[in-house]
Amino acid sequence: MIYINVLDILIVITLTMFFVYPVNSFDKVVKFSKDYRFDNTKLQKVVLVFDTSSSMYDDGYLDSEKNYAKLLVKNSIKTEFSMIAFDGDYKVLTGFSDNEYKLLDIIDSLKVNMVNPHGGSKLRDTIISAINMIKYTKNAKIILFSDGGSPDSDNSLINKEEFKKIVKKYNIEYVGFGSSTDNLFYQSIFRNNLKENKIKKDSKIENIKYSIEKQNNNILLMALLLLLVRILYEKFNFNFNRD
């Protein structure tokens, strides 16, 4: 009977720990390029393009792009943002707006395969759509968040050669996540490429620390395993005592 009481106590303790500490908090530091050309008296228009394909879930890429975008929204002056998400298709999440609360709520709502639940990637078609939003605006640019990948796996209607010709005419910055190999194609055609590349002279690198939270499922799993042992003991009347 002593062993049963011990199991019951452990189950209560682990469940209590899970409800008291439901999440673990982790600190991350990113190198944030603050572009001072956007801190002026002229109104800027920026299209933020978010990769929500399933590969962005790996290694917290989706959380990273969300936090990076929040920093941009909070630190920009006289800037209106529009936002587009893409995976197997693309969707304009908002037109140009300087409402910080609205923009941050939209960023928080980003999730994997939110546009097309079947997955996929239409990066090139999405960028063309973003270009159409700024093509008649002088003071504008596009910022793309993505983990890249092979251009041949992109199921956009526009081919990669035609795409390369079009994007050269516009100010597009690329924030790449993951390995350099995955970002190689887009690194070669966009102006600002991976975060570890050289930053323009009129920009400044700042180390920004932010916290991300993850569900503390290990404690819950431990409680469930203990409960399973408890049920098995009751059902099969296991005897843990060894005389």
Side-chain angles (χ1 to χ4, degrees):
M1 188 61 66
I2 293 177
Y3 294 98
I4 295 299
N5 291 337
V6 170
L7 282 175
D8 290 341
I9 292 171
L10 288 174
I11 291 171
V12 171
I13 291 174
T14 51
L15 286 175
T16 302
M17 290 175 62
F18 176 75
F19 287 111
V20 174
Y21 305 105
V23 295
N24 274 339
S25 181
F26 302 91
D27 288 332
K28 281 193 173 183
V29 176
V30 296
K31 289 184 177 181
F32 175 68
S33 169
K34 188 171 182 180
D35 192 340
Y36 288 96
R37 291 174 303 169
F38 281 77
D39 294 355
N40 54 40
T41 57
K42 295 181 180 179
L43 179 65
Q44 310 291 329
K45 289 186 180 291
V46 179
V47 183
L48 300 181
V49 179
F50 299 99
D51 187 343
T52 55
S53 61
S54 56
S55 61
M56 288 295 289
Y57 188 74
D58 300 335
D59 298 322
Y61 297 159
L62 185 62
D63 287 334
S64 295
E65 73 172 340
K66 289 164 72 171
N67 282 288
Y68 200 96
K70 287 179 183 179
L71 293 174
L72 286 174
V73 170
K74 292 177 180 178
N75 287 279
S76 296
I77 299 174
K78 290 189 177 295
T79 304
E80 290 185 352
F81 292 92
S82 178
M83 299 180 182
I84 305 177
F86 76 92
D87 36 68
D89 207 340
Y90 61 89
K91 179 181 180 181
V92 177
L93 304 177
T94 179
F96 288 104
S97 172
D98 60 357
N99 186 326
E100 182 175 319
Y101 296 105
K102 172 187 174 182
L103 296 170
L104 294 178
D105 282 343
I106 293 173
I107 294 171
D108 279 329
S109 71
L110 294 172
K111 59 183 180 180
V112 172
N113 292 334
M114 63 181 292
V115 183
N116 186 340
H118 300 294
S121 176
K122 283 195 173 182
L123 189 156
R124 294 196 296 270
D125 283 352
T126 305
I127 294 299
I128 297 302
S129 177
I131 286 174
N132 288 332
M133 298 174 70
I134 66 166
K135 65 191 309 181
Y136 300 113
T137 305
K138 291 183 179 180
N139 225 14
K141 73 174 179 179
I142 297 167
I143 301 178
L144 167 63
F145 303 95
S146 179
D147 60 348
S150 170
D152 295 325
S153 63
D154 191 285
N155 49 3
S156 295
L157 295 177
I158 186 170
N159 64 61
K160 58 185 180 182
E161 296 305 322
E162 186 64 24
F163 178 74
K164 288 168 69 174
K165 294 177 182 177
I166 294 175
V167 299
K168 288 180 179 179
K169 305 174 185 177
Y170 299 93
N171 186 358
I172 302 174
E173 294 187 5
Y174 180 53
V175 180
F177 299 94
S179 68
S180 298
T181 302
D182 289 336
N183 291 281
L184 188 59
F185 174 75
Y186 299 106
Q187 179 183 358
S188 67
I189 61 174
F190 292 128
R191 295 183 182 182
N192 207 30
N193 315 118
L194 291 174
K195 289 181 288 185
E196 55 261 33
N197 285 4
K198 292 182 179 179
I199 304 298
K200 305 182 185 87
K201 292 181 180 179
D202 47 5
S203 298
K204 180 182 178 182
I205 288 291
E206 297 178 1
N207 288 328
I208 306 294
K209 184 178 181 180
Y210 64 91
S211 296
I212 60 174
E213 293 184 342
K214 290 188 177 181
Q215 194 72 24
N216 203 346
N217 292 324
N218 290 335
I219 295 177
L220 181 61
L221 180 61
M222 185 184 301
L224 293 175
L225 288 174
L226 289 170
L227 183 60
L228 177 61
V229 173
R230 180 72 168 79
I231 293 172
L232 290 173
Y233 183 91
E234 287 291 327
K235 186 171 183 179
F236 298 103
N237 195 24
F238 287 156
N239 187 358
F240 293 106
N241 284 311
R242 298 290 183 182
D243 295 329

